[in-house]
């Protein structure tokens, strides 16, 4: 690592003294007092967690073999039978992606345990895997150690199998299992406690609905005390619980969505008010508790592996955007990697992860800011010099005098540097202090500073991704607003390789398919015959018809760089050109057949159930239905929870009924699919929503579709 230049003597600081960029932290520590912490500050375990930045989630269990997202709890352990399980392959895929750890779902809502627990027969001991001698938790823990990954565990508080769920005896059972995991598998960096709690379930054969108050039932104060006792370095994820510091006993909070983004800004602190999605996504400036956000998102639409999603794996470009919109906004990213029925990350998924890791390594492997002369508009004194922002150390930082709430930091090079990413970090042990900042470059031609970007909040790290590379000999960071004197740990510059994201593919109600890209100068090629598109495939110019459905594949190509995107793919069923709403319990139901995901039908008018009847315009062989949840629901309006579906040939005689639940629909806005036991031929479809996912009195969703192909 090259050392920065000494600042010029003509750089007059606000204190009237020059600051050496080569000063060592603590060289004159006795002469200059450090800034005092401001507001809430992180614990040692939270600081270590912030440094991890991005890690893997692994959802693998009974659901992998039943093709469900939420198991009911009545599944036989005999169903869990991976044919070629490899913990090393899973850990290797995470490592290749540049991830720093892995959290395994030891038990999901169905109650099936991936370790041979002493407290239930609903576990891996009674599965065919290794003739009942296997322990997926143990194998994954060992594989993570071999791969140099930190290991964590997920233990669902909701258990749809256990007969005592909802009663005091279950808490004893849950704590016994938690103790097994905390003491049997080595150091854990995080314990994950899901927010899904209570509802329909098997419950030892009762097959009933059980409701609990999540905050009081689990007695989180004493339940989480086990984590503190046995794994004091483990971060607790969860939005419930109280401790001596108030109602935020957990160390990290849910970001509030499963789409892969944090709010902008996303502050690490919260207050004492109840959790909301707004708080999850944005935090609270000057909050009394350090509870940073974790962004959870899956590589595929679902959390568990489903063969139908093989074409829906997120691309390298999409994963890169997720990284910048999560880690780049000060949150941590947990990316779910669902193994298939072999017990491995699918080959295509693994290749995408490796490609993404290559991009991250190519981008962040070289800090282009090194070698800069660093000057500041105000200096605190020895030990807190401007040059500390380049030393790569986590325990040093630049700080101006206490009175400074605005200050400038300028980097200058003898030769121009070309970059398109700026990384900024605050020194977190002093709290999150910065409110707003700008980045500017010196325009040699105009002889003045030109603004590149303006943002609020920095925190753990702020990644500013520029729309195009910039070449300059001078960069200025201007702190415009701070709650206490700024404390900047790092200013770094990087060059993100040229990435071309896949084009968007959309079909309107009339069956016209349109392709889109927001990249200037890009051209699009597509196919509808099953062939992978190349630069020799048809050039997209105007929307084209696909009324009876099919598969559209497309690529985006940027001639000026020669770079092409990966392949985007969309599968379409019959169009809705001839569909009409026959009846509905509330006006506006036409929104669910307009192919506009932004328009919603908000049910209501009377108590649930609410229903809609749709005429499909012709007899169709119906294999199932699809439902697209609302991306953003109005306040007080829920997502569809339980459903009843019927088909009719004439709109008069209906049946038989297909009933069930939309799993995880309140948090995951991906398309839901309900498949019928057999093909139902009909022209009319009736969907009845019998329960809102969160118990609300009305629901909203965006689209209703059918599966005929």
């Amino acid at each position: 690592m090259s050392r920065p230049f000494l600042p010029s003597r003509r750089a007059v600081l606000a204190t009237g003294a020059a600051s050496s960029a080569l000063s060592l932290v603590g060289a004159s520590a006795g002469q200059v007092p450090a800034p005092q912490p401001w507001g809430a500050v992180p614990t040692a375990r939270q600081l270590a967690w912030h440094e991890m930045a991005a890690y893997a989630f692994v959802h693998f269990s009974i659901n992998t073999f039943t093709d469900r997202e939420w198991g009911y709890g009545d599944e036989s352990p005999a169903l869990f039978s991976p044919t070629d399980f490899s913990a090393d392959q899973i850990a290797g895929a995470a490592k290749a992606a540049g991830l720093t750890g892995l959290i395994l779902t030891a038990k999901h809502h169905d109650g099936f345990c991936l370790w041979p627990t002493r407290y239930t027969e609903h576990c891996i001991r009674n599965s065919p895997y290794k003739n009942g001698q296997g322990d997926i938790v143990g194998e994954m823990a060992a594989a993570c150690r071999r791969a140099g990954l930190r290991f964590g565990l997920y233990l669902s508080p909701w258990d749809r199998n256990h007969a005592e769920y909802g009663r005091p005896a279950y808490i004893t059972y849950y704590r016994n299992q938690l103790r097994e995991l905390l003491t049997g598998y080595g150091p854990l960096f995080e314990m994950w406690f899901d927010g899904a709690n209570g509802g329909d379930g098997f419950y030892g054969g009762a097959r009933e609905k059980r409701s609990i108050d999540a905050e009081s039932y689990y007695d989180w104060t004493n339940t989480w005390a086990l984590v503190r006792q046995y794994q004091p370095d483990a971060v607790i994820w969860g939005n419930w619980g109280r401790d001596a510091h108030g109602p935020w006993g957990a160390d990290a909070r849910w970001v509030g969505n499963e789409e892969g983004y944090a709010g902008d800004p996303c502050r690490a602190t919260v207050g004492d008010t109840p959790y909301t999605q707004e708080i999850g996504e944005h935090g609270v400036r000057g909050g009394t508790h350090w509870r940073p956000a974790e962004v959870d998102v899956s590589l595929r639409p679902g959390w568990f592996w489903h063969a139908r999603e093989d074409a829906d794996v997120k691309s390298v470009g999409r994963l890169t955007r997720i990284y910048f919109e999560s880690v780049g906004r000060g949150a941590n990213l947990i990316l779910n990697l669902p193994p298939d029925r072999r017990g491995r990350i699918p080959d295509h998924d693994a290749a995408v992860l490796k490609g993404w890791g290559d991009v991250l390594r190519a981008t962040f492997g070289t800090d282009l800011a090194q070698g800069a002369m660093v000057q500041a508009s105000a200096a605190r004194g020895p030990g807190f010099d401007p040059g500390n922002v380049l030393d790569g150390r986590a325990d040093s930082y630049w700080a101006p005098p206490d009175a400074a709430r605005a200050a400038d930091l300028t980097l200058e090079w003898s030769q121009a540097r070309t970059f398109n990413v700026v990384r900024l970090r605050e020194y977190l042990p002093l709290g999150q202090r910065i409110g707003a900042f700008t980045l500017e470059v010196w325009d040699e031609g105009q002889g003045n500073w030109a603004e590149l970007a303006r943002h609020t909040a920095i925190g753990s790290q702020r990644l500013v991704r520029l729309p195009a590379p910039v070449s300059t000999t001078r960069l200025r960071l201007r702190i415009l607003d701070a709650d206490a004197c700024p404390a900047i740990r790092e200013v770094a510059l990087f060059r993100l390789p040229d990435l071309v994201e896949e084009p968007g593919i959309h079909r309107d109600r009339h069956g016209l398919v349109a392709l889109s890209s927001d990249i200037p100068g890009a051209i699009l090629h597509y196919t509808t015959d099953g062939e992978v598109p190349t630069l020799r495939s048809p050039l997209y110019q105007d929307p084209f018809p696909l009324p009876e459905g099919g598969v559209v594949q497309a690529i985006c190509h940027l001639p000026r760089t020669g770079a092409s995107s990966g392949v985007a793919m969309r599968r379409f069923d019959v169009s809705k050109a001839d569909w009409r709403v026959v009846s509905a319990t509330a006006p506006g139901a036409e929104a669910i057949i307009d192919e506009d995901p932004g328009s919603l039908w908000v049910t209501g008018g009377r108590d649930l159930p609410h229903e809609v009847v749709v005429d499909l315009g012709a007899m169709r062989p119906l294999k199932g239905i699809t439902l697209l949840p609302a991306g953003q629901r109005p306040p007080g309006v829920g997502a569809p929870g339980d459903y009843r579906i019927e088909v009719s040939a004439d709109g008069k005689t209906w049946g038989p009924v297909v009933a069930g639940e939309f799993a995880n629909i309140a948090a995951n806005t991906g398309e839901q699919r309900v498949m019928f036991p057999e093909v139902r031929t009909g022209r009319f479809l009736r969907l009845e929503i019998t329960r809102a996912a969160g118990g609300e009195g009305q629901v909203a969703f965006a689209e209703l579709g059918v599966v005929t192909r």
Side-chain angles (χ1 to χ4, degrees):
M1 182 180 295
S2 59
R3 301 180 69 86
F5 295 114
L6 286 171
S8 166
R9 286 293 176 184
R10 68 176 181 272
V12 180
L13 306 180
T15 58
S19 171
S20 169
L22 294 177
S23 296
L24 298 177
V25 174
S28 303
Q31 299 176 18
V32 181
Q36 292 298 304
W38 182 87
V41 297
T43 62
R45 61 176 168 265
Q46 288 172 320
L47 281 172
W49 177 88
H50 277 294
E51 292 297 311
M52 293 183 68
Y55 34 88
F57 226 162
V58 172
H59 279 63
F60 181 57
S61 191
I62 286 286
N63 292 340
T64 308
F65 300 89
T66 61
D67 202 27
R68 302 184 70 180
E69 282 289 290
W70 285 4
Y72 188 68
D74 60 351
E75 300 85 4
S76 168
L79 293 172
F80 185 78
S81 185
T83 57
D84 191 21
F85 178 74
S86 174
D88 285 317
Q89 190 267 354
I90 296 169
K95 185 77 170 181
L99 303 175
T100 57
L102 183 151
I103 296 176
L104 174 70
T105 52
K107 181 186 80 168
H108 205 251
H109 311 326
D110 50 72
F112 180 76
C113 302
L114 291 180
W115 78 103
T117 174
R118 299 191 301 273
Y119 299 102
T120 181
E121 295 303 307
H122 196 56
C123 71
I124 198 170
R125 185 175 57 251
N126 293 310
S127 78
Y129 179 64
K130 293 190 174 180
N131 296 315
Q133 301 302 306
D135 183 349
I136 297 293
V137 176
E139 291 185 55
M140 285 304 313
C144 285
R145 287 193 291 270
R146 287 191 291 270
L149 300 174
R150 298 183 72 187
F151 187 57
L153 289 168
Y154 164 117
L155 185 67
S156 171
W158 186 20
D159 191 319
R160 304 175 91 174
N161 171 265
H162 202 275
E164 295 300 316
Y165 181 78
R167 302 164 183 160
Y170 175 74
I171 301 306
T172 299
Y173 167 79
Y174 187 73
R175 289 176 179 167
N176 284 336
Q177 289 200 315
L178 179 59
R179 190 178 290 106
E180 283 184 321
L181 295 174
L182 294 172
T183 59
Y185 297 99
L188 303 177
F189 80 91
E190 183 167 332
M191 276 300 308
W192 224 89
F193 299 92
D194 203 307
N197 293 282
D200 294 336
F202 176 67
Y203 303 131
R207 296 186 181 276
E208 62 188 16
K209 180 179 179 180
R210 295 184 182 175
S211 300
I212 56 100
D213 178 77
E215 186 169 354
S216 61
Y217 174 62
Y218 298 106
D219 183 15
W220 286 121
T221 298
N222 290 306
T223 299
W224 288 349
L226 295 174
V227 182
R228 301 297 189 221
Q229 177 183 354
Y230 296 113
Q231 296 279 350
D233 295 331
V235 161
I236 293 173
W237 184 97
N239 287 337
W240 303 102
R242 295 178 179 271
D243 63 12
H245 303 290
W248 291 85
D251 296 297
R253 71 180 193 265
W254 182 41
V255 77
N257 67 76
E258 294 181 354
E259 306 307 305
Y261 70 89
D264 190 0
C266 181
R267 301 186 185 278
T269 57
V270 299
D272 289 324
T273 57
Y275 177 89
T276 64
Q277 183 173 350
E278 174 73 13
I279 290 174
E281 290 188 2
H282 295 280
V284 175
R285 183 173 180 177
T288 52
H289 308 290
W290 192 274
R291 300 293 181 267
E294 183 180 77
V295 174
D296 56 325
V297 65
S298 186
L299 183 61
R300 289 163 168 249
W303 289 93
F304 288 90
W305 176 84
H306 307 286
R308 64 179 180 270
E309 296 177 352
D310 284 349
D312 298 321
V313 178
K314 290 179 174 62
S315 66
V316 170
R318 178 73 180 111
L319 291 174
T320 302
R321 177 146 50 97
I322 285 173
Y323 189 88
F324 276 86
E325 293 178 354
S326 55
V327 175
R329 293 175 180 172
N332 272 19
L333 170 63
I334 179 169
L335 177 68
N336 182 57
L337 318 179
D340 58 24
R341 290 177 183 169
R342 297 175 303 167
R344 292 172 175 262
I345 303 301
D347 296 346
H348 174 67
D349 302 39
V352 169
L353 292 169
K354 170 65 164 56
W356 180 48
D358 288 344
V359 168
L360 294 181
R361 284 181 285 271
T363 301
F364 298 107
T366 302
D367 178 7
L368 301 172
Q370 292 299 310
M373 176 178 68
V374 188
Q375 305 170 4
S377 62
R380 189 175 194 89
F384 306 99
D385 304 319
N388 291 350
V389 301
L390 297 180
D391 65 11
R393 293 172 53 170
D395 62 348
S396 71
Y397 55 95
W398 161 69
D402 287 337
R405 297 294 185 271
D408 297 348
L409 194 68
T410 303
L411 280 65
E412 184 173 358
W413 302 270
S414 58
Q415 303 264 337
R417 301 298 167 97
T418 302
F419 58 91
N420 55 8
V421 175
V422 182
R423 185 170 70 197
L424 307 173
R425 299 182 194 263
E426 287 188 74
Y427 181 67
L428 296 187
L430 295 180
Q432 189 166 3
R433 306 155 80 92
I434 292 172
F437 69 91
T438 65
L439 290 168
E440 302 171 339
V441 292
W442 182 254
D443 187 327
E444 295 287 352
Q446 297 295 321
N448 57 20
W449 290 99
E451 184 174 302
L452 279 182
R454 179 180 293 257
H455 290 284
T456 56
I458 293 177
S460 175
Q461 63 176 296
R462 165 68 77 163
L463 295 175
V464 179
R465 183 177 178 180
L466 305 176
V470 171
S471 293
T472 187
T473 57
R474 281 193 272 178
L475 173 75
R476 182 165 70 178
L477 166 65
R478 304 197 71 192
I479 308 299
L480 305 177
D481 167 37
D483 296 305
C485 69
I488 301 296
R489 166 186 159 184
E490 181 187 61
V491 178
L493 306 179
F494 304 100
R495 179 70 182 268
L496 178 70
D498 289 331
L499 287 178
V500 180
E501 289 197 39
E502 290 79 359
I505 306 175
H506 176 74
R507 190 182 65 169
D508 69 13
R509 180 178 176 179
H510 302 289
L512 285 177
V513 176
L515 308 183
S516 61
S517 172
D518 56 6
I519 303 174
I523 59 174
L524 311 177
H525 295 268
Y526 71 97
T527 61
T528 58
D529 59 2
E531 294 294 320
V532 176
T534 68
L535 298 183
R536 293 185 296 275
S537 300
L539 177 68
Y540 174 75
Q541 294 178 310
D542 298 299
F544 54 89
L546 200 69
E548 292 302 307
V551 178
V552 178
Q553 300 183 78
I555 59 171
C556 181
H557 179 70
L558 196 57
R560 68 174 181 269
T561 65
S564 295
S565 72
V567 177
M569 177 186 291
R570 285 288 305 275
R571 299 180 186 275
F572 295 105
D573 215 292
V574 295
S575 71
K576 302 175 184 178
D578 298 324
W579 290 23
R580 67 182 182 90
V581 173
V582 176
S583 64
T585 52
E590 290 75 13
I592 64 174
I593 61 172
D594 66 359
E595 294 289 17
D596 178 2
S599 67
L600 309 178
W601 179 43
V602 180
T603 70
R606 59 176 175 80
D607 294 338
L608 289 167
H610 297 156
E611 70 173 40
V612 60
V613 176
V614 176
D615 179 357
L616 306 179
M619 295 288 286
R620 297 286 185 182
L622 303 177
K623 297 181 178 181
I625 67 107
T626 61
L627 183 141
L628 183 67
Q632 191 75 35
R633 299 186 301 274
V637 176
D642 294 347
Y643 60 79
R644 288 165 50 92
I645 303 167
E646 294 177 284
V647 174
S648 172
D650 57 7
K652 299 176 182 179
T653 303
W654 296 88
V657 172
V658 176
E661 70 173 352
F662 293 115
N664 196 31
I665 192 171
N668 191 329
T669 59
E671 184 179 82
Q672 296 268 343
R673 177 175 291 230
V674 177
M675 301 304 293
F676 300 156
E678 66 280 323
V679 176
R680 308 277 173 85
T681 301
R683 172 170 174 163
F684 296 87
L685 182 69
R686 178 158 63 197
L687 170 66
E688 186 177 53
I689 305 300
T690 59
R691 180 185 64 87
E696 298 86 353
Q698 57 184 339
V699 302
F701 60 98
E703 288 293 322
L704 179 67
V706 296
V707 181
T708 67
R709 303 176 68 87

